[in-house]
Amino acid sequence: MKAAVLLKSSLLTSLFVVSSCATTHYTGDVEKNNYSNLEAGRTYVFTMKDGSKKQKMLFRNIQGDNIIGTVSKKDSTVVSIPKANVAASKDRAKANVTAGAFVIGAAGVAALVVSATRAD
């Protein structure tokens, strides 16, 4: 009985983790990448292909081969990143919601496991 509950809770947890992703990865071919998932006014963290420091920005738009944004809502310094240098983008708002949901889901699974082990 305990093994079945542990197996079910493990499957639920892994399904939850896999289904809640906030990062979009891009390939080396810029023409095949779809940047339409970026929404103006949202904060993203861009990971660079060359291994340089991650760039956080408030996304504004795409102009030609560059991703344009500002440092933050308070700091209007313009930031421009070449599309060819972007390996991945992470939506900060979705990441925070995902992390919170993961904690709540993990607590729920833990409660199920504890209650199932005590029922015997």
Side-chain angles (χ1 to χ4, degrees):
M1 178 67 180
K2 290 180 184 179
V5 172
L6 288 174
L7 180 64
K8 288 177 185 177
S9 63
S10 299
L11 288 173
L12 284 172
T13 303
S14 61
L15 178 66
F16 185 72
V17 169
V18 169
S19 67
S20 57
C21 185
T23 302
T24 303
H25 295 278
Y26 299 105
T27 64
D29 187 5
V30 176
E31 299 300 322
K32 291 183 180 180
N33 292 331
N34 182 7
Y35 296 95
S36 65
N37 61 334
L38 301 175
E39 296 178 31
R42 295 193 83 135
T43 302
Y44 292 92
V45 176
F46 292 95
T47 304
M48 304 303 164
K49 289 181 182 174
D50 60 7
S52 61
K53 185 178 176 184
K54 292 182 179 182
Q55 180 69 47
K56 179 181 170 184
M57 81 158 65
L58 181 66
F59 176 73
R60 294 292 177 208
N61 60 6
I62 294 178
Q63 293 179 348
D65 290 334
N66 295 318
I67 298 171
I68 309 295
T70 57
V71 174
S72 67
K73 289 182 180 181
K74 295 179 182 177
D75 186 358
S76 61
T77 305
V78 177
V79 178
S80 177
I81 302 173
K83 287 182 189 177
N85 195 23
V86 175
S89 66
K90 185 174 186 177
D91 186 340
R92 294 291 304 249
K94 286 182 183 176
N96 291 341
V97 168
T98 301
F102 178 75
V103 168
I104 292 170
V109 169
L112 283 173
V113 170
V114 168
S115 66
T117 57
R118 290 185 180 179
D120 290 331

PDB file of all heavy atoms in Angstrom, residues 35-72:
ATOM      1  N   TYR A  35       9.932  34.488 -31.677  1.00  0.00           N
ATOM      2  CA  TYR A  35      10.000  35.439 -30.571  1.00  0.00           C
ATOM      3  C   TYR A  35       8.628  36.040 -30.242  1.00  0.00           C
ATOM      4  O   TYR A  35       8.536  36.963 -29.462  1.00  0.00           O
ATOM      5  CB  TYR A  35      10.988  36.559 -30.900  1.00  0.00           C
ATOM      6  CG  TYR A  35      12.405  36.061 -31.044  1.00  0.00           C
ATOM      7  CD1 TYR A  35      12.921  35.736 -32.285  1.00  0.00           C
ATOM      8  CD2 TYR A  35      13.206  35.877 -29.930  1.00  0.00           C
ATOM      9  CE1 TYR A  35      14.212  35.264 -32.422  1.00  0.00           C
ATOM     10  CE2 TYR A  35      14.499  35.405 -30.049  1.00  0.00           C
ATOM     11  CZ  TYR A  35      14.998  35.098 -31.300  1.00  0.00           C
ATOM     12  OH  TYR A  35      16.272  34.626 -31.425  1.00  0.00           O
ATOM     13  N   SER A  36       7.570  35.494 -30.832  1.00  0.00           N
ATOM     14  CA  SER A  36       6.230  36.036 -30.601  1.00  0.00           C
ATOM     15  C   SER A  36       5.717  35.737 -29.196  1.00  0.00           C
ATOM     16  O   SER A  36       4.734  36.334 -28.759  1.00  0.00           O
ATOM     17  CB  SER A  36       5.250  35.483 -31.637  1.00  0.00           C
ATOM     18  OG  SER A  36       5.114  34.088 -31.477  1.00  0.00           O
ATOM     19  N   ASN A  37       6.383  34.827 -28.479  1.00  0.00           N
ATOM     20  CA  ASN A  37       5.949  34.531 -27.110  1.00  0.00           C
ATOM     21  C   ASN A  37       6.358  35.631 -26.129  1.00  0.00           C
ATOM     22  O   ASN A  37       5.871  35.673 -25.011  1.00  0.00           O
ATOM     23  CB  ASN A  37       6.500  33.183 -26.651  1.00  0.00           C
ATOM     24  CG  ASN A  37       8.014  33.156 -26.630  1.00  0.00           C
ATOM     25  OD1 ASN A  37       8.660  33.884 -27.363  1.00  0.00           O
ATOM     26  ND2 ASN A  37       8.571  32.317 -25.799  1.00  0.00           N
ATOM     27  N   LEU A  38       7.250  36.527 -26.539  1.00  0.00           N
ATOM     28  CA  LEU A  38       7.648  37.648 -25.683  1.00  0.00           C
ATOM     29  C   LEU A  38       6.545  38.695 -25.678  1.00  0.00           C
ATOM     30  O   LEU A  38       6.065  39.106 -26.736  1.00  0.00           O
ATOM     31  CB  LEU A  38       8.963  38.263 -26.192  1.00  0.00           C
ATOM     32  CG  LEU A  38      10.161  37.325 -26.256  1.00  0.00           C
ATOM     33  CD1 LEU A  38      11.346  38.040 -26.896  1.00  0.00           C
ATOM     34  CD2 LEU A  38      10.524  36.832 -24.879  1.00  0.00           C
ATOM     35  N   GLU A  39       6.140  39.123 -24.485  1.00  0.00           N
ATOM     36  CA  GLU A  39       5.059  40.090 -24.348  1.00  0.00           C
ATOM     37  C   GLU A  39       5.607  41.417 -23.845  1.00  0.00           C
ATOM     38  O   GLU A  39       6.352  41.449 -22.862  1.00  0.00           O
ATOM     39  CB  GLU A  39       4.011  39.578 -23.362  1.00  0.00           C
ATOM     40  CG  GLU A  39       3.309  38.316 -23.814  1.00  0.00           C
ATOM     41  CD  GLU A  39       2.322  37.806 -22.791  1.00  0.00           C
ATOM     42  OE1 GLU A  39       1.743  38.642 -22.055  1.00  0.00           O
ATOM     43  OE2 GLU A  39       2.148  36.598 -22.703  1.00  0.00           O
ATOM     44  N   ALA A  40       5.229  42.500 -24.506  1.00  0.00           N
ATOM     45  CA  ALA A  40       5.678  43.832 -24.105  1.00  0.00           C
ATOM     46  C   ALA A  40       5.193  44.143 -22.697  1.00  0.00           C
ATOM     47  O   ALA A  40       4.063  43.824 -22.320  1.00  0.00           O
ATOM     48  CB  ALA A  40       5.157  44.882 -25.078  1.00  0.00           C
ATOM     49  N   GLY A  41       6.078  44.743 -21.905  1.00  0.00           N
ATOM     50  CA  GLY A  41       5.729  45.115 -20.542  1.00  0.00           C
ATOM     51  C   GLY A  41       6.033  44.051 -19.502  1.00  0.00           C
ATOM     52  O   GLY A  41       5.821  44.265 -18.321  1.00  0.00           O
ATOM     53  N   ARG A  42       6.532  42.904 -19.925  1.00  0.00           N
ATOM     54  CA  ARG A  42       6.887  41.834 -18.987  1.00  0.00           C
ATOM     55  C   ARG A  42       8.389  41.798 -18.792  1.00  0.00           C
ATOM     56  O   ARG A  42       9.156  42.104 -19.702  1.00  0.00           O
ATOM     57  CB  ARG A  42       6.409  40.488 -19.508  1.00  0.00           C
ATOM     58  CG  ARG A  42       4.879  40.430 -19.561  1.00  0.00           C
ATOM     59  CD  ARG A  42       4.449  39.040 -19.763  1.00  0.00           C
ATOM     60  NE  ARG A  42       4.437  38.389 -18.461  1.00  0.00           N
ATOM     61  CZ  ARG A  42       3.451  37.625 -18.045  1.00  0.00           C
ATOM     62  NH1 ARG A  42       2.416  37.407 -18.814  1.00  0.00           N
ATOM     63  NH2 ARG A  42       3.508  37.042 -16.869  1.00  0.00           N
ATOM     64  N   THR A  43       8.814  41.381 -17.616  1.00  0.00           N
ATOM     65  CA  THR A  43      10.236  41.285 -17.305  1.00  0.00           C
ATOM     66  C   THR A  43      10.746  39.890 -17.658  1.00  0.00           C
ATOM     67  O   THR A  43      10.153  38.887 -17.259  1.00  0.00           O
ATOM     68  CB  THR A  43      10.483  41.564 -15.814  1.00  0.00           C
ATOM     69  OG1 THR A  43       9.973  42.864 -15.510  1.00  0.00           O
ATOM     70  CG2 THR A  43      11.961  41.531 -15.495  1.00  0.00           C
ATOM     71  N   TYR A  44      11.830  39.855 -18.417  1.00  0.00           N
ATOM     72  CA  TYR A  44      12.458  38.604 -18.836  1.00  0.00           C
ATOM     73  C   TYR A  44      13.917  38.609 -18.419  1.00  0.00           C
ATOM     74  O   TYR A  44      14.542  39.654 -18.311  1.00  0.00           O
ATOM     75  CB  TYR A  44      12.388  38.430 -20.357  1.00  0.00           C
ATOM     76  CG  TYR A  44      10.994  38.207 -20.874  1.00  0.00           C
ATOM     77  CD1 TYR A  44      10.205  39.275 -21.290  1.00  0.00           C
ATOM     78  CD2 TYR A  44      10.454  36.933 -20.955  1.00  0.00           C
ATOM     79  CE1 TYR A  44       8.919  39.085 -21.763  1.00  0.00           C
ATOM     80  CE2 TYR A  44       9.179  36.732 -21.436  1.00  0.00           C
ATOM     81  CZ  TYR A  44       8.410  37.804 -21.835  1.00  0.00           C
ATOM     82  OH  TYR A  44       7.145  37.609 -22.292  1.00  0.00           O
ATOM     83  N   VAL A  45      14.453  37.399 -18.237  1.00  0.00           N
ATOM     84  CA  VAL A  45      15.888  37.224 -18.025  1.00  0.00           C
ATOM     85  C   VAL A  45      16.388  36.435 -19.226  1.00  0.00           C
ATOM     86  O   VAL A  45      15.932  35.322 -19.481  1.00  0.00           O
ATOM     87  CB  VAL A  45      16.185  36.466 -16.716  1.00  0.00           C
ATOM     88  CG1 VAL A  45      17.667  36.215 -16.578  1.00  0.00           C
ATOM     89  CG2 VAL A  45      15.664  37.238 -15.522  1.00  0.00           C
ATOM     90  N   PHE A  46      17.307  37.031 -19.982  1.00  0.00           N
ATOM     91  CA  PHE A  46      17.841  36.406 -21.178  1.00  0.00           C
ATOM     92  C   PHE A  46      19.193  35.776 -20.863  1.00  0.00           C
ATOM     93  O   PHE A  46      20.073  36.425 -20.322  1.00  0.00           O
ATOM     94  CB  PHE A  46      17.996  37.437 -22.302  1.00  0.00           C
ATOM     95  CG  PHE A  46      16.681  37.945 -22.810  1.00  0.00           C
ATOM     96  CD1 PHE A  46      16.133  39.118 -22.316  1.00  0.00           C
ATOM     97  CD2 PHE A  46      15.978  37.249 -23.777  1.00  0.00           C
ATOM     98  CE1 PHE A  46      14.921  39.589 -22.763  1.00  0.00           C
ATOM     99  CE2 PHE A  46      14.759  37.718 -24.239  1.00  0.00           C
ATOM    100  CZ  PHE A  46      14.227  38.896 -23.736  1.00  0.00           C
ATOM    101  N   THR A  47      19.349  34.504 -21.237  1.00  0.00           N
ATOM    102  CA  THR A  47      20.615  33.796 -21.102  1.00  0.00           C
ATOM    103  C   THR A  47      21.333  33.907 -22.440  1.00  0.00           C
ATOM    104  O   THR A  47      20.739  33.647 -23.491  1.00  0.00           O
ATOM    105  CB  THR A  47      20.370  32.316 -20.761  1.00  0.00           C
ATOM    106  OG1 THR A  47      19.566  32.250 -19.584  1.00  0.00           O
ATOM    107  CG2 THR A  47      21.678  31.585 -20.527  1.00  0.00           C
ATOM    108  N   MET A  48      22.601  34.265 -22.382  1.00  0.00           N
ATOM    109  CA  MET A  48      23.374  34.488 -23.599  1.00  0.00           C
ATOM    110  C   MET A  48      24.107  33.221 -24.049  1.00  0.00           C
ATOM    111  O   MET A  48      24.535  32.416 -23.233  1.00  0.00           O
ATOM    112  CB  MET A  48      24.398  35.605 -23.377  1.00  0.00           C
ATOM    113  CG  MET A  48      23.791  36.899 -22.917  1.00  0.00           C
ATOM    114  SD  MET A  48      22.570  37.458 -24.086  1.00  0.00           S
ATOM    115  CE  MET A  48      21.721  38.654 -23.111  1.00  0.00           C
ATOM    116  N   LYS A  49      24.265  33.071 -25.358  1.00  0.00           N
ATOM    117  CA  LYS A  49      24.964  31.915 -25.919  1.00  0.00           C
ATOM    118  C   LYS A  49      26.456  31.967 -25.650  1.00  0.00           C
ATOM    119  O   LYS A  49      27.099  30.934 -25.530  1.00  0.00           O
ATOM    120  CB  LYS A  49      24.727  31.837 -27.427  1.00  0.00           C
ATOM    121  CG  LYS A  49      23.333  31.441 -27.799  1.00  0.00           C
ATOM    122  CD  LYS A  49      23.167  31.367 -29.294  1.00  0.00           C
ATOM    123  CE  LYS A  49      21.716  31.015 -29.618  1.00  0.00           C
ATOM    124  NZ  LYS A  49      21.464  31.057 -31.044  1.00  0.00           N
ATOM    125  N   ASP A  50      27.010  33.169 -25.558  1.00  0.00           N
ATOM    126  CA  ASP A  50      28.457  33.294 -25.377  1.00  0.00           C
ATOM    127  C   ASP A  50      28.890  33.121 -23.921  1.00  0.00           C
ATOM    128  O   ASP A  50      30.064  33.244 -23.599  1.00  0.00           O
ATOM    129  CB  ASP A  50      28.967  34.625 -25.921  1.00  0.00           C
ATOM    130  CG  ASP A  50      28.331  35.828 -25.244  1.00  0.00           C
ATOM    131  OD1 ASP A  50      27.582  35.650 -24.258  1.00  0.00           O
ATOM    132  OD2 ASP A  50      28.592  36.955 -25.699  1.00  0.00           O
ATOM    133  N   GLY A  51      27.943  32.838 -23.025  1.00  0.00           N
ATOM    134  CA  GLY A  51      28.276  32.594 -21.630  1.00  0.00           C
ATOM    135  C   GLY A  51      28.429  33.854 -20.795  1.00  0.00           C
ATOM    136  O   GLY A  51      28.804  33.777 -19.628  1.00  0.00           O
ATOM    137  N   SER A  52      28.142  35.014 -21.375  1.00  0.00           N
ATOM    138  CA  SER A  52      28.244  36.254 -20.598  1.00  0.00           C
ATOM    139  C   SER A  52      27.100  36.331 -19.588  1.00  0.00           C
ATOM    140  O   SER A  52      26.213  35.485 -19.566  1.00  0.00           O
ATOM    141  CB  SER A  52      28.227  37.467 -21.529  1.00  0.00           C
ATOM    142  OG  SER A  52      27.015  37.518 -22.266  1.00  0.00           O
ATOM    143  N   LYS A  53      27.133  37.344 -18.767  1.00  0.00           N
ATOM    144  CA  LYS A  53      26.161  37.509 -17.687  1.00  0.00           C
ATOM    145  C   LYS A  53      24.727  37.548 -18.235  1.00  0.00           C
ATOM    146  O   LYS A  53      24.477  38.111 -19.299  1.00  0.00           O
ATOM    147  CB  LYS A  53      26.473  38.810 -16.940  1.00  0.00           C
ATOM    148  CG  LYS A  53      25.622  39.036 -15.733  1.00  0.00           C
ATOM    149  CD  LYS A  53      26.017  40.326 -15.021  1.00  0.00           C
ATOM    150  CE  LYS A  53      25.091  40.592 -13.865  1.00  0.00           C
ATOM    151  NZ  LYS A  53      25.381  41.864 -13.222  1.00  0.00           N
ATOM    152  N   LYS A  54      23.808  36.952 -17.493  1.00  0.00           N
ATOM    153  CA  LYS A  54      22.398  36.993 -17.877  1.00  0.00           C
ATOM    154  C   LYS A  54      21.915  38.436 -17.868  1.00  0.00           C
ATOM    155  O   LYS A  54      22.303  39.231 -17.017  1.00  0.00           O
ATOM    156  CB  LYS A  54      21.548  36.155 -16.925  1.00  0.00           C
ATOM    157  CG  LYS A  54      21.817  34.678 -17.035  1.00  0.00           C
ATOM    158  CD  LYS A  54      20.924  33.887 -16.101  1.00  0.00           C
ATOM    159  CE  LYS A  54      21.202  32.407 -16.239  1.00  0.00           C
ATOM    160  NZ  LYS A  54      20.338  31.604 -15.389  1.00  0.00           N
ATOM    161  N   GLN A  55      21.031  38.763 -18.818  1.00  0.00           N
ATOM    162  CA  GLN A  55      20.538  40.126 -18.958  1.00  0.00           C
ATOM    163  C   GLN A  55      19.064  40.178 -18.577  1.00  0.00           C
ATOM    164  O   GLN A  55      18.240  39.509 -19.192  1.00  0.00           O
ATOM    165  CB  GLN A  55      20.719  40.592 -20.405  1.00  0.00           C
ATOM    166  CG  GLN A  55      20.233  41.985 -20.666  1.00  0.00           C
ATOM    167  CD  GLN A  55      21.100  43.028 -19.990  1.00  0.00           C
ATOM    168  OE1 GLN A  55      22.310  42.975 -20.077  1.00  0.00           O
ATOM    169  NE2 GLN A  55      20.476  43.959 -19.316  1.00  0.00           N
ATOM    170  N   LYS A  56      18.743  40.953 -17.556  1.00  0.00           N
ATOM    171  CA  LYS A  56      17.352  41.139 -17.132  1.00  0.00           C
ATOM    172  C   LYS A  56      16.845  42.421 -17.783  1.00  0.00           C
ATOM    173  O   LYS A  56      17.532  43.447 -17.778  1.00  0.00           O
ATOM    174  CB  LYS A  56      17.293  41.260 -15.612  1.00  0.00           C
ATOM    175  CG  LYS A  56      15.897  41.479 -15.070  1.00  0.00           C
ATOM    176  CD  LYS A  56      15.936  41.611 -13.561  1.00  0.00           C
ATOM    177  CE  LYS A  56      14.594  42.067 -13.044  1.00  0.00           C
ATOM    178  NZ  LYS A  56      14.616  42.296 -11.608  1.00  0.00           N
ATOM    179  N   MET A  57      15.656  42.355 -18.357  1.00  0.00           N
ATOM    180  CA  MET A  57      15.093  43.553 -18.974  1.00  0.00           C
ATOM    181  C   MET A  57      13.576  43.518 -18.998  1.00  0.00           C
ATOM    182  O   MET A  57      12.972  42.453 -18.957  1.00  0.00           O
ATOM    183  CB  MET A  57      15.620  43.749 -20.397  1.00  0.00           C
ATOM    184  CG  MET A  57      14.930  42.919 -21.434  1.00  0.00           C
ATOM    185  SD  MET A  57      15.050  43.514 -23.122  1.00  0.00           S
ATOM    186  CE  MET A  57      16.750  43.366 -23.461  1.00  0.00           C
ATOM    187  N   LEU A  58      13.006  44.697 -19.060  1.00  0.00           N
ATOM    188  CA  LEU A  58      11.575  44.872 -19.262  1.00  0.00           C
ATOM    189  C   LEU A  58      11.396  44.949 -20.774  1.00  0.00           C
ATOM    190  O   LEU A  58      11.789  45.932 -21.399  1.00  0.00           O
ATOM    191  CB  LEU A  58      11.091  46.144 -18.573  1.00  0.00           C
ATOM    192  CG  LEU A  58       9.608  46.449 -18.663  1.00  0.00           C
ATOM    193  CD1 LEU A  58       8.803  45.408 -17.912  1.00  0.00           C
ATOM    194  CD2 LEU A  58       9.321  47.818 -18.097  1.00  0.00           C
ATOM    195  N   PHE A  59      10.850  43.907 -21.377  1.00  0.00           N
ATOM    196  CA  PHE A  59      10.758  43.805 -22.829  1.00  0.00           C
ATOM    197  C   PHE A  59       9.820  44.855 -23.396  1.00  0.00           C
ATOM    198  O   PHE A  59       8.737  45.094 -22.867  1.00  0.00           O
ATOM    199  CB  PHE A  59      10.279  42.401 -23.215  1.00  0.00           C
ATOM    200  CG  PHE A  59      10.054  42.218 -24.688  1.00  0.00           C
ATOM    201  CD1 PHE A  59      11.119  42.138 -25.549  1.00  0.00           C
ATOM    202  CD2 PHE A  59       8.776  42.129 -25.189  1.00  0.00           C
ATOM    203  CE1 PHE A  59      10.920  41.963 -26.904  1.00  0.00           C
ATOM    204  CE2 PHE A  59       8.561  41.950 -26.537  1.00  0.00           C
ATOM    205  CZ  PHE A  59       9.626  41.879 -27.403  1.00  0.00           C
ATOM    206  N   ARG A  60      10.248  45.476 -24.497  1.00  0.00           N
ATOM    207  CA  ARG A  60       9.416  46.467 -25.198  1.00  0.00           C
ATOM    208  C   ARG A  60       9.003  45.965 -26.578  1.00  0.00           C
ATOM    209  O   ARG A  60       7.837  45.876 -26.888  1.00  0.00           O
ATOM    210  CB  ARG A  60      10.165  47.800 -25.340  1.00  0.00           C
ATOM    211  CG  ARG A  60      10.422  48.488 -24.038  1.00  0.00           C
ATOM    212  CD  ARG A  60       9.124  48.967 -23.441  1.00  0.00           C
ATOM    213  NE  ARG A  60       9.378  49.577 -22.137  1.00  0.00           N
ATOM    214  CZ  ARG A  60       8.512  49.610 -21.169  1.00  0.00           C
ATOM    215  NH1 ARG A  60       7.331  49.076 -21.321  1.00  0.00           N
ATOM    216  NH2 ARG A  60       8.799  50.160 -20.022  1.00  0.00           N
ATOM    217  N   ASN A  61       9.992  45.678 -27.455  1.00  0.00           N
ATOM    218  CA  ASN A  61       9.670  45.222 -28.804  1.00  0.00           C
ATOM    219  C   ASN A  61      10.898  44.599 -29.460  1.00  0.00           C
ATOM    220  O   ASN A  61      11.963  44.540 -28.863  1.00  0.00           O
ATOM    221  CB  ASN A  61       9.130  46.367 -29.665  1.00  0.00           C
ATOM    222  CG  ASN A  61      10.119  47.502 -29.797  1.00  0.00           C
ATOM    223  OD1 ASN A  61      11.254  47.421 -29.359  1.00  0.00           O
ATOM    224  ND2 ASN A  61       9.672  48.585 -30.405  1.00  0.00           N
ATOM    225  N   ILE A  62      10.709  44.161 -30.703  1.00  0.00           N
ATOM    226  CA  ILE A  62      11.808  43.613 -31.496  1.00  0.00           C
ATOM    227  C   ILE A  62      11.981  44.519 -32.706  1.00  0.00           C
ATOM    228  O   ILE A  62      11.020  44.788 -33.427  1.00  0.00           O
ATOM    229  CB  ILE A  62      11.516  42.166 -31.936  1.00  0.00           C
ATOM    230  CG1 ILE A  62      11.481  41.279 -30.696  1.00  0.00           C
ATOM    231  CG2 ILE A  62      12.552  41.681 -32.932  1.00  0.00           C
ATOM    232  CD1 ILE A  62      11.168  39.836 -30.959  1.00  0.00           C
ATOM    233  N   GLN A  63      13.200  45.000 -32.904  1.00  0.00           N
ATOM    234  CA  GLN A  63      13.510  45.842 -34.058  1.00  0.00           C
ATOM    235  C   GLN A  63      14.602  45.165 -34.864  1.00  0.00           C
ATOM    236  O   GLN A  63      15.755  45.081 -34.421  1.00  0.00           O
ATOM    237  CB  GLN A  63      13.986  47.225 -33.614  1.00  0.00           C
ATOM    238  CG  GLN A  63      12.922  48.052 -32.945  1.00  0.00           C
ATOM    239  CD  GLN A  63      13.448  49.408 -32.502  1.00  0.00           C
ATOM    240  OE1 GLN A  63      14.629  49.657 -32.499  1.00  0.00           O
ATOM    241  NE2 GLN A  63      12.523  50.273 -32.108  1.00  0.00           N
ATOM    242  N   GLY A  64      14.238  44.646 -36.019  1.00  0.00           N
ATOM    243  CA  GLY A  64      15.211  43.965 -36.873  1.00  0.00           C
ATOM    244  C   GLY A  64      15.780  42.732 -36.205  1.00  0.00           C
ATOM    245  O   GLY A  64      15.063  41.800 -35.877  1.00  0.00           O
ATOM    246  N   ASP A  65      17.094  42.733 -35.976  1.00  0.00           N
ATOM    247  CA  ASP A  65      17.760  41.588 -35.362  1.00  0.00           C
ATOM    248  C   ASP A  65      18.057  41.805 -33.887  1.00  0.00           C
ATOM    249  O   ASP A  65      18.893  41.112 -33.319  1.00  0.00           O
ATOM    250  CB  ASP A  65      19.070  41.299 -36.101  1.00  0.00           C
ATOM    251  CG  ASP A  65      18.823  40.746 -37.499  1.00  0.00           C
ATOM    252  OD1 ASP A  65      17.746  40.147 -37.700  1.00  0.00           O
ATOM    253  OD2 ASP A  65      19.695  40.902 -38.362  1.00  0.00           O
ATOM    254  N   ASN A  66      17.383  42.759 -33.259  1.00  0.00           N
ATOM    255  CA  ASN A  66      17.635  43.078 -31.847  1.00  0.00           C
ATOM    256  C   ASN A  66      16.369  42.996 -31.009  1.00  0.00           C
ATOM    257  O   ASN A  66      15.279  43.299 -31.484  1.00  0.00           O
ATOM    258  CB  ASN A  66      18.226  44.482 -31.709  1.00  0.00           C
ATOM    259  CG  ASN A  66      19.584  44.592 -32.332  1.00  0.00           C
ATOM    260  OD1 ASN A  66      20.406  43.696 -32.188  1.00  0.00           O
ATOM    261  ND2 ASN A  66      19.832  45.675 -33.039  1.00  0.00           N
ATOM    262  N   ILE A  67      16.553  42.588 -29.766  1.00  0.00           N
ATOM    263  CA  ILE A  67      15.476  42.600 -28.778  1.00  0.00           C
ATOM    264  C   ILE A  67      15.684  43.867 -27.950  1.00  0.00           C
ATOM    265  O   ILE A  67      16.746  44.077 -27.382  1.00  0.00           O
ATOM    266  CB  ILE A  67      15.533  41.340 -27.886  1.00  0.00           C
ATOM    267  CG1 ILE A  67      15.343  40.093 -28.747  1.00  0.00           C
ATOM    268  CG2 ILE A  67      14.487  41.412 -26.787  1.00  0.00           C
ATOM    269  CD1 ILE A  67      15.588  38.790 -28.015  1.00  0.00           C
ATOM    270  N   ILE A  68      14.656  44.706 -27.901  1.00  0.00           N
ATOM    271  CA  ILE A  68      14.763  46.015 -27.251  1.00  0.00           C
ATOM    272  C   ILE A  68      13.935  46.032 -25.974  1.00  0.00           C
ATOM    273  O   ILE A  68      12.821  45.516 -25.932  1.00  0.00           O
ATOM    274  CB  ILE A  68      14.258  47.143 -28.190  1.00  0.00           C
ATOM    275  CG1 ILE A  68      14.931  47.055 -29.567  1.00  0.00           C
ATOM    276  CG2 ILE A  68      14.443  48.502 -27.557  1.00  0.00           C
ATOM    277  CD1 ILE A  68      16.412  47.300 -29.545  1.00  0.00           C
ATOM    278  N   GLY A  69      14.496  46.643 -24.943  1.00  0.00           N
ATOM    279  CA  GLY A  69      13.780  46.790 -23.682  1.00  0.00           C
ATOM    280  C   GLY A  69      14.448  47.838 -22.821  1.00  0.00           C
ATOM    281  O   GLY A  69      15.340  48.555 -23.270  1.00  0.00           O
ATOM    282  N   THR A  70      14.002  47.931 -21.587  1.00  0.00           N
ATOM    283  CA  THR A  70      14.603  48.848 -20.627  1.00  0.00           C
ATOM    284  C   THR A  70      15.071  48.056 -19.410  1.00  0.00           C
ATOM    285  O   THR A  70      14.658  46.924 -19.191  1.00  0.00           O
ATOM    286  CB  THR A  70      13.601  49.938 -20.179  1.00  0.00           C
ATOM    287  OG1 THR A  70      12.446  49.307 -19.622  1.00  0.00           O
ATOM    288  CG2 THR A  70      13.181  50.808 -21.348  1.00  0.00           C
ATOM    289  N   VAL A  71      15.922  48.691 -18.611  1.00  0.00           N
ATOM    290  CA  VAL A  71      16.475  48.014 -17.437  1.00  0.00           C
ATOM    291  C   VAL A  71      15.366  47.626 -16.463  1.00  0.00           C
ATOM    292  O   VAL A  71      15.324  46.511 -15.960  1.00  0.00           O
ATOM    293  CB  VAL A  71      17.532  48.913 -16.762  1.00  0.00           C
ATOM    294  CG1 VAL A  71      18.010  48.304 -15.464  1.00  0.00           C
ATOM    295  CG2 VAL A  71      18.700  49.142 -17.700  1.00  0.00           C
ATOM    296  N   SER A  72      14.442  48.535 -16.199  1.00  0.00           N
ATOM    297  CA  SER A  72      13.308  48.257 -15.314  1.00  0.00           C
ATOM    298  C   SER A  72      12.239  49.319 -15.542  1.00  0.00           C
ATOM    299  O   SER A  72      12.403  50.211 -16.369  1.00  0.00           O
ATOM    300  CB  SER A  72      13.756  48.254 -13.851  1.00  0.00           C
ATOM    301  OG  SER A  72      14.152  49.548 -13.461  1.00  0.00           O
TER     302      SER A  72
END
